Amino acid sequence: MLALTVAPGTKGSARLDEVAEPDPARGEILIAAHSVGICGTDREIIDGLHGAAPPGGDRLILGHESLGRVLEVPAGRDLAIGDWVAGIVRHPDPVPCASCAHGEWDMCANGRYLEHGIKGLDGFAAERYRLDAGFVVKVDPDLAERGVLIEPASVVAKAWDQIDRIGRRAFWAPSRVLVIGAGPIGLLAALLGVQRGLEVHVLDRHTEGPKPGIVRDLGATYHSGSVEEAGSADIILECTGAPALIVEALHAARPNGIVCLTGVSAPGKKMPVDTGALNRELVLENNVVFGSVNANRAHYDQGALALRRADPRWLDRLITRRVPLADWATALEHRPDDVKTVLRFGDL
Ligand code: BGC
């Protein structure tokens, strides 16, 4: 069967490979790929900056944002042949640490977790793959190909879940949200903010292309200037990982405000920061700054619910390119008008 593979650590090593059928030991459920979403993490892996192959090999099957259909499932599982499904990306560490032992592998405390298509486990950019039922999420057939957005939606649902929990530390009545970055994560973060009834602002550098209209039609406000111009907020979701924007984001939090960092940035970019002034502001305003990564099963369910509640025509606009497997190389390019590019293995 065909799979998109890469040699982690080697820039430009991505290729379409003929690989063996998935080993039944990999999981009781056999899934036929319909599509995989491409994200910044995939581009980092193909640039040789991130990722690890499964033990004993030097190539990794890419793909962690998945949508597929069940081909084989043992009796007694809450799944049937033909069901639409998405795979859970992270697997708990083998120890397991206390967080993983509680099913909160997204909070893994020892770093020994594995991630499909990213770290030590083959991904979903293969014609077929196997998973155990505990790592399969059913996708509402009404979502159709929008189901491929469940993984990024789960990441955003986790971030919001954490914001809600942190917000309960004291009385708090947030009203204004600032999302920095109008990529898929930023736009889905904005969606969940609007669904919570909050006033949402989205900042991105693009002044043209699909993003301003997508934000406007969500009922949010689009900004393309600086963070300062976009204004202070009770909740800030930083979704770019750009060092200069992160520092600005910290200053933009209102009293009692929460800043959630979701972008994984490359190290090495140093910039002067007035740590004393920043610390003073954070302390005197009871601000919380926290990082959020990945998602556990509850977040996949929350992400799926958010997608089901969204206007399907709005979600369709997030998928700006659908690329057949044969043209895989163009799916990995990042074009100015791209929001989410999806690599397609099959038709609905
Ligand atoms: C994925 C997460 C993953 C993170 C770090 C993101 O692109 O969506 O599931 O935990 O990368 O590897």
Side-chain angles (χ1 to χ4, degrees), residues 39 41 50 64 89-90 115 118 151 155 293-294:
C39 84
T41 303
H50 192 50
H64 61 277
V89 173
R90 191 178 282 194
E115 290 182 336
I118 302 174
E151 197 277 341
V155 166
V293 70
N294 196 251

Coordinates of all heavy atoms in Angstrom, one line a residue, residues 39 41 50 64 89-90 115 118 151 155 293-294, ligand 1:
C39 N -0.4 20.2 8.7 CA -0.3 21.3 9.6 C 1.2 21.7 9.8 O 2.1 21.1 9.2 CB -0.9 21.1 11.0 SG 0.2 20.2 12.1
T41 N 3.2 21.3 12.2 CA 4.1 20.3 12.7 C 4.6 19.4 11.6 O 5.8 19.0 11.6 CB 3.3 19.5 13.8 OG1 2.8 20.4 14.8 CG2 4.1 18.4 14.4
H50 N 11.9 18.3 13.5 CA 11.1 17.7 14.5 C 10.8 16.2 14.1 O 11.0 15.9 13.0 CB 9.8 18.5 14.6 CG 8.9 18.2 15.8 ND1 9.4 18.2 17.0 CD2 7.6 18.0 15.8 CE1 8.4 18.0 17.9 NE2 7.3 17.8 17.2
H64 N -1.2 13.2 11.3 CA -1.8 13.0 12.6 C -3.2 13.6 12.6 O -3.9 13.4 13.6 CB -0.9 13.6 13.7 CG -0.7 15.1 13.6 ND1 0.3 15.6 12.8 CD2 -1.3 16.1 14.1 CE1 0.3 16.9 12.8 NE2 -0.6 17.3 13.7
V89 N -4.1 11.1 18.5 CA -2.7 11.2 18.1 C -1.7 10.6 19.2 O -0.8 9.9 18.9 CB -2.4 12.7 17.9 CG1 -0.9 12.9 17.7 CG2 -3.2 13.3 16.7
R90 N -2.0 11.0 20.4 CA -1.0 10.6 21.4 C -1.3 9.4 22.2 O -2.5 9.1 22.5 CB -0.8 11.8 22.4 CG 0.4 11.6 23.3 CD 0.6 12.8 24.3 NE 1.2 13.9 23.7 CZ 1.7 15.0 24.4 NH1 1.7 14.9 25.7 NH2 2.2 16.0 23.7
E115 N 3.5 9.8 19.6 CA 2.4 10.5 18.8 C 2.5 10.0 17.4 O 3.5 10.0 16.8 CB 2.7 12.0 18.8 CG 2.4 12.7 20.2 CD 2.6 14.2 20.2 OE1 3.3 14.7 19.4 OE2 1.9 14.8 21.1
I118 N 4.2 11.8 14.4 CA 5.1 12.8 14.9 C 6.3 12.2 15.7 O 7.4 12.4 15.4 CB 4.3 13.8 15.8 CG1 3.2 14.4 15.1 CG2 5.3 14.9 16.4 CD1 2.2 15.3 16.0
E151 N -9.1 16.6 14.9 CA -7.9 16.7 15.7 C -7.5 18.1 16.0 O -7.3 18.4 17.2 CB -6.7 15.9 15.0 CG -5.6 15.6 15.9 CD -4.5 16.7 16.2 OE1 -4.5 17.7 15.4 OE2 -3.8 16.7 17.2
V155 N -7.4 20.0 20.0 CA -6.3 20.7 20.5 C -6.9 22.1 21.1 O -6.5 22.5 22.2 CB -5.2 21.0 19.5 CG1 -4.2 22.0 19.9 CG2 -4.5 19.6 19.2
V293 N -0.9 21.9 25.0 CA -0.6 21.0 23.8 C -1.5 19.8 23.8 O -1.9 19.3 24.9 CB 0.9 20.6 23.9 CG1 1.2 19.6 25.0 CG2 1.4 20.1 22.5
N294 N -1.7 19.3 22.6 CA -2.3 18.0 22.5 C -3.7 17.9 23.1 O -4.3 19.0 23.4 CB -1.4 16.9 23.1 CG -1.7 15.5 22.6 OD1 -2.2 14.7 23.4 ND2 -1.5 15.2 21.4
Ligands
BGC1 C1 -0.5 18.1 17.2 C2 -0.6 17.7 18.7 C3 0.8 17.3 19.2 C4 1.7 18.5 18.9 C5 3.2 18.2 19.4 C6 0.5 19.2 17.1 O1 0.6 19.6 15.7 O2 -1.8 18.6 16.8 O3 -1.5 16.6 18.8 O4 0.8 17.0 20.5 O5 1.8 18.8 17.6 O6 3.8 17.2 18.8

